[in-house]
Amino acid sequence: MKKASEYRKHAEECRVLAKQVPEGPQRDQLVEMARTWEALANDRDVLVRKHPEIAQPDKADDD
């Protein structure tokens, strides 16, 4: 399972791409993808707080 920081990195990549695309459906889709990645990151944070044993042992899960 990915770390929250990886999900947030994907979200940022989507936001950067969205800024490079003219307004329209493609930009809207990238913005929505960014929102989805952020939601996944937040969900992962909650899950790890409730169940710290699932955090990746070699790296902090919330960086």
Side-chain angles (χ1 to χ4, degrees):
M1 187 177 284
K2 290 189 177 208
K3 299 185 327 179
S5 61
E6 292 177 74
Y7 293 137
R8 288 191 176 91
K9 181 181 176 199
H10 293 314
E12 181 58 24
E13 290 169 353
C14 289
R15 285 191 288 272
V16 167
L17 288 172
K19 290 178 183 177
Q20 299 172 14
V21 175
E23 286 188 31
Q26 290 175 330
R27 179 187 279 186
D28 295 344
Q29 186 175 26
L30 286 164
V31 170
E32 185 59 30
M33 288 171 64
R35 285 187 195 121
T36 300
W37 282 118
E38 282 294 335
L40 288 169
N42 293 336
D43 290 348
R44 177 70 176 157
D45 284 338
V46 170
L47 185 64
V48 169
R49 278 196 294 276
K50 289 182 180 178
H51 304 281
E53 69 277 7
I54 67 170
Q56 292 179 354
D58 51 11
K59 296 180 184 175
D61 199 56
D62 58 354
D63 39 290

